Amino acid sequence: MKVDCLVVGAGPAGSVTAGDLARRGVETLVVEKKAEIGPPKRCAEGVSQRSLEALGINPHPHSIARTITGAALYAPSGKQVVMEGQGMEGYVLERKIFEKHLASQAIQAGARYMVKTQVLDMQRVNGAWEAQIRGLEGTETVTADLVIGADGVESKVGRWAGLKSLNRLTDYHSGFQYEMANVSVNESYIHLFFGREVAPLGYVWVFPKAFSANVGLGILEREARMRSHQYLKRFIANHPEMFARASPIEVNGGGIPVNHFTDMVADGVMLVGDAAQLVNPIHGGGIVRAMHSAQMAAEVGASALREGDLSRDRLLSYRRQWDQVYEDKTAQLLKLRFFLEKLEDKDFELLADILDGADIFELTQARLSFFIKKVLKRPSLLGLAKKYLTD
Amino acid sequence: MVVVNHYQCLHCGGCVGLCPVNALTLYELHLEVSEACTECGICVKFCPVGALEGTP
């Protein structure tokens, strides 16, 4: 089989790329290795309304499990800071429906999909890629001028293309989550819990859905004394006010890249979303970045196909577009990540005292200067702040 | 070679993205370890539920 573009993976990154390519008249084939697009999810399913609007992506009403108005953050003592108001509104999605909806939009735009079909290997042959795919009807070869690696944290496309897409344990959270029914929380907010004993170098999240909640955490192995599963079990046991009458209806695991160091482009190949480690390094959210990278890659890919030039040099304009929007922001957020990773529990208490919700929102937008000023006034944080936050 | 406890594995694929020698592959709901495995133990340390056993 011969196609203009082969998209590997039908998550949000793959389907947004496929839809945008098909709308530009590119003959696009999407292969998804799972029998069903969507599950098992590796995601807490939270997304900000403002970010989705900025991308022009309208989730189908069935994809929205709950609309939230803000976030509540908890220091180890339980002290709470609420972030609410403009810009904080969000959705907790039902990913399995959200992904199927994005796929159906791509199909309406002209893309073709295959499920339970896995790419086994691919090689560069005469200036194109030959990929061996295996599905219900056996094995066949697909020849494509352009391959989009939307194959997630476990990306093989990046490796086959010779890109350094390997994740490092020092920059990769071990994630574990239950979706639970009958959790008692304020369902207008998402809830985030911090502390060395709660989730070393990460946090616990409780994201309310229609009639359940995603209760999970991410931790870095470096500071962990047990597995993420055990940390979450302990958190649940320590919070009977939320979980005394709750039980799981689903269990999920996952790896969360919190540093971006992938080369995203090779001859005839672009990586999008988690495959390129495009995740916000502070909160670990990846849906918006995945879809934004997909839109950029589709634009560049369609033009490059039209021009008949799929060299790395040509496709690098995708990386340049990405860097233009995200490079500085990501660098700032990484700085903040390294600072936060040094904090002791008592420092979190102090931050809960000196920061309000609006401050924290600013921080997540990578606006650090006011934060540095505030933190530098606190003798106990002065050394850390000087070391990690100022140049 | 690292051994997968298929009764515990959540098929999250997190370990696959960490393997420095590309010895792990997730086939839908089946995680496979190839001969290339060097028992470096990175995947064992990562696994959220401890479904991988080998040199820690």
Side-chain angles (χ1 to χ4, degrees):
Chain A
M1 193 186 341
K2 166 85 182 75
V3 293
D4 294 339
C5 179
L6 173 67
V7 177
V8 183
S15 285
V16 168
T17 313
D20 279 14
L21 283 170
R23 271 183 281 280
R24 291 179 168 91
V26 175
E27 182 198 11
T28 305
L29 172 68
V30 183
V31 293
E32 167 56 53
K33 71 179 175 185
K34 291 177 299 184
E36 180 180 358
I37 292 172
K41 71 174 184 270
R42 303 157 172 180
C43 182
E45 303 181 296
V47 65
S48 101
Q49 285 179 24
R50 182 186 276 184
S51 311
L52 281 186
E53 279 161 20
L55 298 185
I57 294 196
N58 302 309
H60 190 278
H62 293 173
S63 306
I64 299 169
R66 185 167 290 278
T67 302
I68 54 129
T69 60
L73 282 66
Y74 303 83
S77 66
K79 195 180 293 168
Q80 184 189 26
V81 180
V82 172
M83 304 161 67
E84 200 170 18
Q86 250 192 340
M88 282 309 301
E89 299 87 356
Y91 300 124
V92 181
L93 299 170
E94 185 60 54
R95 274 285 295 263
K96 41 195 92 158
I97 300 176
F98 181 67
E99 288 181 33
K100 282 180 178 163
H101 177 239
L102 291 176
S104 68
Q105 285 184 316
I107 291 165
Q108 274 169 25
R112 221 152 51 79
Y113 273 60
M114 294 171 82
V115 293
K116 203 166 171 65
T117 302
Q118 185 153 1
V119 180
L120 302 174
D121 202 356
M122 62 183 218
Q123 307 83 29
R124 195 85 179 131
V125 179
N126 299 329
W129 285 100
E130 279 188 4
Q132 289 72 49
I133 64 169
R134 183 171 65 196
L136 280 181
E137 284 158 55
T139 305
E140 66 177 306
T141 299
V142 177
T143 306
D145 295 318
L146 175 65
V147 176
I148 300 290
D151 45 348
V153 295
E154 63 198 82
S155 180
K156 296 276 181 180
V157 171
R159 301 204 193 203
W160 292 324
L163 296 173
K164 294 185 180 71
S165 58
L166 181 67
N167 288 284
R168 289 190 300 227
L169 199 53
T170 47
D171 300 289
Y172 193 73
H173 279 232
S174 176
F176 182 85
Q177 173 174 273
Y178 285 121
E179 184 171 335
M180 300 180 87
N182 211 22
V183 177
S184 303
V185 282
N186 179 339
E187 292 179 326
S188 302
Y189 299 143
I190 55 169
H191 305 265
L192 310 175
F193 300 82
F194 297 85
R196 285 268 158 161
E197 290 302 313
V198 174
L201 309 187
Y203 62 90
V204 168
W205 60 79
V206 178
F207 286 12
K209 296 181 67 174
F211 44 79
S212 61
N214 288 326
V215 180
L217 85 179
I219 59 173
L220 275 184
E221 186 270 340
R222 168 156 54 92
E223 295 280 321
R225 286 177 292 103
M226 349 179 240
R227 300 201 175 270
S228 38
H229 176 205
Q230 291 159 316
Y231 275 103
L232 189 66
K233 266 175 38 185
R234 188 170 72 178
F235 180 81
I236 289 169
N238 288 344
H239 290 276
E241 77 286 2
M242 281 187 276
F243 303 113
R245 298 174 59 247
S247 273
I249 55 173
E250 184 175 319
V251 55
N252 314 116
I256 308 154
V258 286
N259 196 354
H260 167 59
F261 47 85
T262 303
D263 203 4
M264 302 149 77
V265 173
D267 286 333
V269 169
M270 289 187 275
L271 302 182
V272 291
D274 278 358
Q277 303 164 11
L278 303 179
V279 171
N280 179 308
I282 289 299
H283 56 58
I287 305 174
V288 167
R289 286 184 179 219
M291 297 192 298
H292 201 180
S293 67
Q295 291 176 338
M296 292 176 183
E299 191 194 326
V300 171
S303 310
L305 280 163
R306 213 169 31 242
E307 296 156 18
D309 178 5
L310 292 147
S311 64
R312 178 172 186 274
D313 280 351
R314 174 65 186 88
L315 299 181
L316 268 175
S317 72
Y318 159 53
R319 170 150 204 166
R320 280 192 291 272
Q321 270 193 42
W322 179 265
D323 284 347
Q324 204 172 356
V325 181
Y326 286 101
E327 191 178 26
D328 292 346
K329 186 175 174 182
T330 304
Q332 292 289 89
L333 291 176
L334 278 173
K335 239 200 237 183
L336 180 62
R337 184 196 133 200
F338 295 131
F339 171 75
L340 293 174
E341 284 183 359
K342 297 292 166 200
L343 297 185
E344 305 289 336
D345 280 2
K346 62 175 171 32
D347 302 323
F348 277 111
E349 303 300 335
L350 187 62
L351 288 185
D353 281 337
I354 64 175
L355 298 176
D356 60 26
D359 289 343
I360 296 170
F361 178 70
E362 291 291 304
L363 276 183
T364 62
Q365 302 303 301
R367 290 188 278 267
L368 301 190
S369 56
F370 79 94
F371 176 67
I372 295 168
K373 272 183 214 149
K374 271 193 169 178
V375 167
L376 286 177
K377 285 184 197 143
R378 300 289 159 156
S380 62
L381 293 174
L382 187 67
L384 278 181
K386 275 192 169 158
K387 185 165 175 203
Y388 290 97
L389 292 176
T390 53
D391 284 315
Chain B
M1 206 156 81
V2 159
V3 177
V4 185
N5 182 337
H6 292 286
Y7 304 108
Q8 283 188 319
C9 177
L10 290 172
H11 319 113
C12 77
C15 55
V16 178
L18 284 168
C19 179
V21 294
N22 203 8
L24 292 164
T25 304
L26 181 63
Y27 296 96
E28 192 167 15
L29 303 179
H30 180 77
L31 179 66
E32 226 169 76
V33 189
S34 84
E35 296 290 328
C37 175
T38 61
E39 296 208 6
C40 70
I42 293 174
C43 59
V44 176
K45 287 183 187 161
F46 162 81
C47 182
V49 295
L52 294 164
E53 282 177 52
T55 314

